[in-house]
Amino acid sequence: MSDAINFSHLDITSAQPPPSRAPQPKENSHCFHFVRRLITALLFLFVLISVASWIAWLIVHPLGPVFTVSSFTVSNLTLSNNNDSRIKADYHLVFSMKNPNEKVPLVIDSFEILLLYKKDTVLTQAWITEAVSLEKMSQKNWSAEFPRDFGEPLHGREFSEIGKDWSKRVVSFDVKMKIEARFTCGIWLSKRRIMKVSCINLVVEFLEPRGINGKLRVAGGKVCSVHLA
């Protein structure tokens, strides 16, 4: 009689195959593709807007404003030669600004104005921080007062030259301005530009008896040059 084999004590679980792993969900893949498509769409939209904006400004082609010095007066001019070689006076500058564009308004955010002698000698300086808005084909007048006591002493040669000019009752000044401006076209198109304005050879005549007060010789104003940076 053959012996019976007892399998009750054997661990047959080890012989079972390992459970199969559940398939990875596809949500991560879908999310990745969505993000990639979204980024591509945004980049395409950015390029499209940039190209459309470039074409719009190319068609509009905004021109820089026209600046004209309407009036320039010098009052109470004195040359101080007490070891400091300074020029002291009250300067009053009036200039007109015209927007020549038929389609684009212009906003000037700030002015930095230099008053010079012999093109590179700074006599005084002024700032205008109040914004000026120029509608299409419009014109406005603006004025600037320069501080009387400003600037470094002049070099001996420059001080001597301006003294000689003053003795002849004619002194030539230069005005240079640095301007921050914005062109606006519609609601969403805006273009910011830096402009440099030069008003050269503003000849002031001192014709009154004491010779301390003078005004611009040119009747009707002096047109300035404008360079868009």
Side-chain angles (χ1 to χ4, degrees), residues 56-218:
W57 285 118
L58 191 64
I59 295 174
V60 173
H61 188 61
L63 303 174
V66 178
F67 284 84
T68 303
V69 177
S70 305
S71 172
F72 180 48
T73 58
V74 181
S75 306
N76 302 316
L77 177 65
T78 58
L79 302 183
S80 176
N81 199 15
N82 297 326
N83 297 324
D84 60 359
S85 301
R86 293 178 183 271
I87 300 174
K88 295 185 179 182
D90 298 314
Y91 306 97
H92 183 70
L93 175 69
V94 179
F95 54 93
S96 67
M97 300 170 289
K98 180 181 179 181
N99 180 9
N101 297 286
E102 298 180 357
K103 301 179 181 179
V104 183
L106 173 66
V107 178
I108 300 177
D109 293 318
S110 65
F111 301 80
E112 180 184 355
I113 309 174
L114 297 178
L115 179 63
L116 305 100
Y117 173 73
K118 295 294 184 182
K119 296 184 179 181
D120 56 0
T121 303
V122 178
L123 299 180
T124 185
Q125 189 172 9
W127 294 267
I128 299 177
T129 56
E130 182 179 351
V132 179
S133 179
L134 292 172
E135 295 298 326
K136 307 166 188 176
M137 300 298 293
S138 65
Q139 180 173 327
K140 287 185 178 181
N141 292 329
W142 208 254
S143 62
E145 300 281 351
F146 294 88
R148 180 177 179 85
D149 298 321
F150 180 88
E152 298 295 329
L154 301 182
H155 298 293
R157 179 181 177 182
E158 297 163 343
F159 188 79
S160 175
E161 287 179 351
I162 197 171
K164 291 178 181 179
D165 292 343
W166 187 35
S167 67
K168 299 174 184 177
R169 301 296 181 95
V170 176
V171 181
S172 179
F173 298 90
D174 297 325
V175 170
K176 293 186 178 181
M177 293 183 277
K178 181 180 179 182
I179 296 171
E180 294 185 7
R182 287 177 288 122
F183 295 100
T184 57
C185 184
I187 300 176
W188 56 281
L189 279 180
S190 178
K191 193 172 188 179
R192 185 175 294 275
R193 299 297 295 268
I194 302 295
M195 304 179 188
K196 294 182 179 180
V197 182
S198 299
C199 310
I200 305 300
N201 197 26
L202 302 176
V203 179
V204 175
E205 293 181 316
F206 297 84
L207 300 180
E208 55 92 33
R210 293 183 299 168
I212 62 174
N213 301 316
K215 62 180 181 178
L216 190 65
R217 173 192 285 177
V218 178

